[in-house]
Amino acid sequence: MITNENIKHVAVYLRLSRDEENRGIEEMLASHKHTLTELCKLNKWSFETFEEIASSKTIEKRDKMVELLERIPQNHFDAVVVMDIDRLSRNEFDSSDIKRILFTSGTSIVTPSKFYNLSKDEDNLLLGIQSLVAAQEYKQILKRMQQGKLYASKQGQWMNGIPPLGYDKNPKTKKLEPNDKAQDIKFIFNSIVEGKTVSDVYHQLNKMGVKTRTNGKFFFNSIVRIVNNEAYKGTIISNRTIGRHEAIRPKEEWIVVENAHPAVIDEEVWEKANKIVNTYSFSAPKSKNKIYPTTKLIFCGNCGKLQGCNVAPTGKTYIKICVVCKNRTFQYNPVLKIIKGEIAKYRQDVLASIVGVKESNINNDTDYKRKQLEAQVRKATQALDNIEILFEESEINLQQYRERKAKRNEQIKQLNLELEKLNEETPKDRITDLSEVLKQVDYLLGNWQCLDGEGLTDEEVNRSLHFIIERIEWTYSKTDEVPSLEVIYKMG
């Protein structure tokens, strides 16, 4: 029992940041809470509890600590009760701020083993020493944890938090292993590579009832994050950021472990999908530079380096010289006319592909979509059966029974309609995609007047070209008499 008649009302502050005794966080907090509340009851203090799970790195993201520090200067509490001094903070700068606020308000600190009256020099000095020791200890613990994490990462163990969708973490090996959700990941990558937009993909997933890792709906950024995640090609990257997403380290400092775990997506498909979702057709350019019709599309046919454009003092636009292999420059407008001519030829290929799909009865991803819809029908049917049981056992009234039954019947009806449509349109998915490409090609050919100032703007042309073209390989070496280019399309 602590004998201090000036203490009547206290703040009980509880914080944990990691499982220090190999017990659950909730169990640890409950244990600490019991100890401190019993201490308050023994001393007949009234109390308010401030409880959180947060890092001691900084108080900025500790909402309960911030709230407590705002109330202390208003003389709400006679003391702050904690398990130990380091529960307040292990950050030496934050510790000084907390100590100052407590001192100026005349608020004491109480632990199960010690009463700190900050108006006394010896207590003030002891608190300062203990805070310094706690800060140094924290730095050493953090250093050892970081070293351990980096070592484990080099061994191919997953140390980046919750496993991504499609993977589970093996508790013994600490490595990622594909689960049944890996088929959803394959569907996403294959859809992107086959020419579907990010919007098309996430709408289709939501329509089929596929859920994210957190059991929510997919959105545009959900798909982009998945496609950009190296884990799906079996690669782990650690030491990428300084702190927790505060700043990106130079790439030479990253720890990259390839073949760390079984890949869900082969590297070729991963690279292709990654490039597609990060092109201008899906996201606005990050720079404010002028957008040309072929921005981010023309690559050197010799070394693969991206070749941009620039305007000469004469006012004419040219393809830039390749900075790597010196692939030569050329006036831009004639190149655009060649590209437009190639697209006109491509239009005939698209028409031929549509005819070919109709005749060959190609079935792209139909089985996958059918299984997802059938699973939803089974789930909804089971839910309908459960409603009957709830009504029979008087768990719900007649009105609730009718409303729930009608809702489930409508859901089952819509799912069956989608199944019927899917079975009827086996070859039509591909035809729809090709028809969209054909529409874009016709739009370009009808409205693109190259660089003569009429028709579509350069930016509009660039968007349309990115929709149908993967890349344009430009070759004009010193030994070439005439330049050549090859247009590689996203869909054949």
Side-chain angles (χ1 to χ4, degrees):
M1 183 171 179
I2 297 171
T3 56
N4 191 306
E5 296 179 356
N6 295 324
I7 298 178
K8 304 294 183 184
H9 185 64
V10 301
V12 173
Y13 180 72
L14 297 152
R15 178 187 65 81
L16 278 181
S17 59
R18 61 189 182 91
D19 203 347
E20 295 155 296
E21 298 182 14
N22 295 319
R23 291 154 57 187
I25 289 288
E26 297 299 330
E27 183 183 349
M28 285 287 291
L29 275 176
S31 175
H32 289 186
K33 188 174 184 178
H34 175 75
T35 300
L36 297 183
T37 54
E38 285 299 310
L39 178 63
C40 293
K41 292 174 183 178
L42 179 64
N43 288 280
K44 298 181 180 180
W45 299 333
S46 60
F47 60 88
E48 294 180 43
T49 303
F50 297 80
E51 180 179 333
E52 61 189 344
I53 298 174
S55 170
S56 60
K57 186 175 181 181
T58 175
I59 61 173
E60 292 178 0
K61 296 182 179 179
R62 291 161 57 188
D63 295 338
K64 293 298 181 180
M65 173 55 74
V66 172
E67 180 187 348
L68 177 59
L69 293 177
E70 288 176 350
R71 294 182 61 187
I72 286 174
Q74 301 170 20
N75 297 316
H76 281 268
F77 309 105
D78 301 315
V80 175
V81 182
V82 289
M83 280 298 294
D84 206 344
I85 292 301
D86 64 3
R87 296 300 91 186
L88 293 174
S89 180
R90 283 178 167 176
N91 181 307
E92 53 197 295
F93 303 107
D94 287 344
S95 293
S96 297
D97 290 337
I98 293 170
K99 181 180 174 182
R100 176 181 51 80
I101 292 171
L102 292 170
F103 176 77
T104 55
S105 63
T107 307
S108 302
I109 300 175
V110 179
T111 71
S113 60
K114 174 67 178 173
F115 173 80
Y116 297 85
N117 183 346
L118 299 185
S119 63
K120 292 183 178 181
D121 291 343
E122 59 269 27
D123 283 0
N124 215 325
L125 177 61
L126 179 60
L127 179 63
I129 293 171
Q130 290 180 328
S131 297
L132 180 61
V133 170
Q136 293 303 313
E137 182 188 25
Y138 173 71
K139 289 178 181 178
Q140 289 301 315
I141 291 172
L142 186 61
K143 184 178 180 180
R144 288 195 296 269
M145 288 177 65
Q146 289 173 338
Q147 289 173 342
K149 183 177 179 181
L150 291 178
Y151 176 79
S153 296
K154 289 178 181 178
Q155 308 308 307
Q157 296 178 13
W158 181 256
M159 304 298 293
N160 296 338
I162 299 172
L165 180 69
Y167 280 107
D168 291 322
K169 183 177 178 179
N170 186 308
K172 293 183 178 179
T173 65
K174 308 296 184 185
K175 293 190 175 187
L176 295 181
E177 296 180 350
N179 57 32
D180 57 356
K181 290 292 184 179
Q183 63 177 340
D184 300 333
I185 301 301
K186 292 176 181 178
F187 175 77
I188 291 169
F189 276 86
N190 290 336
S191 297
I192 293 294
V193 169
E194 289 168 5
K196 290 185 173 64
T197 66
V198 172
S199 298
D200 291 337
V201 175
Y202 83 76
H203 281 306
Q204 183 67 59
L205 288 167
N206 291 336
K207 189 175 181 181
M208 293 187 296
V210 180
K211 299 296 183 181
T212 64
R213 186 187 64 190
T214 56
N215 203 36
K217 289 186 176 182
F218 285 89
F219 295 97
F220 188 97
N221 288 339
S222 311
I223 304 301
V224 173
R225 280 195 298 270
I226 286 172
V227 175
N228 284 328
N229 192 338
E230 297 91 348
Y232 292 117
K233 60 175 180 175
T235 300
I236 290 178
I237 297 181
S238 57
N239 205 45
R240 194 195 315 238
T241 59
I242 301 171
R244 189 172 180 84
H245 309 301
E246 293 175 5
I248 302 296
R249 298 180 189 272
K251 281 194 174 182
E252 55 269 21
E253 296 182 17
W254 295 4
I255 296 176
V256 180
V257 182
E258 297 180 349
N259 300 315
H261 51 263
V264 170
I265 305 298
D266 67 66
E267 188 166 359
E268 183 180 352
V269 173
W270 188 94
E271 294 290 349
K272 190 171 184 180
N274 189 267
K275 187 179 296 182
I276 290 172
V277 300
N278 289 295
T279 56
Y280 182 73
S281 58
F282 295 103
S283 59
K286 295 181 180 179
S287 69
K288 296 182 179 180
N289 297 331
K290 174 177 170 56
I291 301 298
Y292 293 91
T294 58
T295 292
K296 295 186 180 180
L297 276 175
I298 294 183
F299 293 81
C300 175
N302 296 320
C303 70
K305 183 73 175 179
L306 185 69
Q307 285 192 244
C309 301
N310 61 6
V311 179
T314 60
K316 293 183 178 180
T317 304
Y318 289 81
I319 295 175
K320 289 181 180 179
I321 297 173
C322 178
V323 296
V324 176
C325 68
K326 307 305 178 184
N327 196 27
R328 284 192 285 173
T329 183
F330 201 84
Q331 195 172 333
Y332 190 49
N333 207 36
V335 174
L336 290 182
K337 291 179 180 177
I338 294 172
I339 293 171
K340 187 176 181 181
E342 290 295 317
I343 292 174
K345 297 177 185 176
Y346 176 63
R347 183 181 187 279
Q348 300 305 313
D349 294 334
V350 174
L351 285 171
S353 294
I354 292 174
V355 173
V357 171
K358 289 179 178 178
E359 293 176 351
S360 62
N361 195 32
I362 293 175
N363 187 359
N364 287 330
D365 293 314
T366 300
D367 288 338
Y368 170 83
K369 295 175 186 177
R370 184 184 294 108
K371 287 178 182 178
Q372 293 295 332
L373 288 170
E374 286 173 347
Q376 278 193 279
V377 170
R378 288 194 297 271
K379 187 176 180 180
T381 302
Q382 180 61 54
L384 190 60
D385 293 338
N386 292 340
I387 292 171
E388 297 284 350
I389 295 171
L390 289 172
F391 180 66
E392 288 175 0
E393 295 181 356
S394 301
E395 294 292 330
I396 57 175
N397 59 37
L398 181 59
Q399 182 179 351
Q400 291 173 318
Y401 166 75
R402 287 174 175 172
E403 289 174 352
R404 293 186 186 187
K405 184 176 181 180
K407 183 178 179 181
R408 286 298 181 183
N409 279 328
E410 180 62 26
Q411 182 186 11
I412 293 170
K413 178 182 176 182
Q414 292 301 320
L415 288 169
N416 283 324
L417 286 174
E418 288 182 33
L419 270 172
E420 290 177 14
K421 184 178 179 182
L422 184 66
N423 292 328
E424 291 173 359
E425 297 181 345
T426 299
K428 289 186 179 179
D429 284 345
R430 174 76 170 168
I431 293 173
T432 300
D433 291 339
L434 287 168
S435 298
E436 285 297 319
V437 172
L438 183 63
K439 187 187 301 182
Q440 196 69 47
V441 168
D442 287 340
Y443 176 71
L444 258 177
L445 294 176
N447 298 281
W448 181 22
Q449 303 300 323
C450 293
L451 292 179
D452 59 8
E454 298 179 6
L456 299 174
T457 66
D458 290 348
E459 187 171 334
E460 289 170 336
V461 173
N462 184 251
R463 286 184 181 275
S464 295
L465 287 177
H466 268 289
F467 187 89
I468 60 176
I469 293 176
E470 176 74 29
R471 61 193 282 132
I472 300 168
E473 295 185 352
W474 165 259
T475 307
Y476 194 23
S477 304
K478 291 183 179 179
T479 56
D480 295 333
E481 294 184 2
V482 294
S484 63
L485 64 81
E486 180 182 4
V487 180
I488 301 171
Y489 299 95
K490 290 183 175 179
M491 293 189 69

